[in-house]
Amino acid sequence: DNEHHDNHKIHHNHLALFTGATTNFDHETTGFSVGLDYEYRLNAWHNLLGIGLLGEYVTSGSGEVLAGIPIFIHTVEKLKFTIAPVLVSAEDHHSHENETNFGIRIGVASDFHLYKISISPAINLDLGKTTALVYGVSVGFGF
């Protein structure tokens, strides 16, 4: 599959490091976020879909760990939409015990490619026990 977009070959594997911030609207906190995501781009439907794994750590409070299985939808050029069921492990603000909750992440990113390297500003909305906005930049590598 050698489909090209502005000197960019579609790679079926993509690994990216995310850095940014998470603003939790319920707790009125903002913390530094760092994460990894992996995407496997499917051959079907003209390479429009990908599936992967994501993990993220947020420094607010006593820390929060998020893990999910994203579906990536590559629609118009440079735009990538994400929807992911996620598990969020964090300390409960009332009981101070660690708990894990289910949520959904919905997001959009704009991919800029230079050969195998990608730079992608991204914004995500996490919906679950709390609501949070996650924003930052991913730097990735296609292979």
Side-chain angles (χ1 to χ4, degrees), residues 62-63 89-92 95-100:
S62 61
S89 180
E91 183 180 285
D92 181 83
S95 68
H96 299 290
E97 291 183 16
N98 208 43
E99 64 177 28
T100 301

Side-chain angles (χ1 to χ4, degrees), residues 51-105:
I51 190 163
L53 297 170
L54 71 85
E56 200 167 289
Y57 179 75
V58 183
T59 62
S60 62
S62 61
E64 182 176 293
V65 176
L66 183 138
I69 301 172
I71 295 172
F72 300 96
I73 304 160
H74 300 266
T75 56
V76 295
E77 191 174 334
K78 294 188 187 340
L79 273 187
K80 172 174 66 182
F81 294 91
T82 305
I83 185 162
V86 293
L87 290 176
V88 182
S89 180
E91 183 180 285
D92 181 83
H93 282 273
H94 301 293
S95 68
H96 299 290
E97 291 183 16
N98 208 43
E99 64 177 28
T100 301
N101 293 292
F102 177 78
I104 295 287
R105 171 170 283 189

Side-chain angles (χ1 to χ4, degrees), residues 21-52:
T22 297
T23 298
N24 186 305
F25 298 116
D26 297 277
H27 301 139
E28 298 178 355
T29 60
T30 298
F32 175 72
S33 300
V34 62
L36 279 175
D37 74 62
Y38 166 77
E39 176 186 5
Y40 177 75
R41 194 91 166 251
L42 302 173
N43 283 321
W45 302 297
H46 306 287
N47 302 105
L48 292 179
L49 293 178
I51 190 163

Side-chain angles (χ1 to χ4, degrees), residues 102-123:
F102 177 78
I104 295 287
R105 171 170 283 189
I106 301 166
V108 62
S110 183
D111 292 337
F112 298 94
H113 294 99
L114 181 61
Y115 303 102
K116 293 184 177 190
I117 304 297
S118 66
I119 297 172
S120 307
I123 187 163

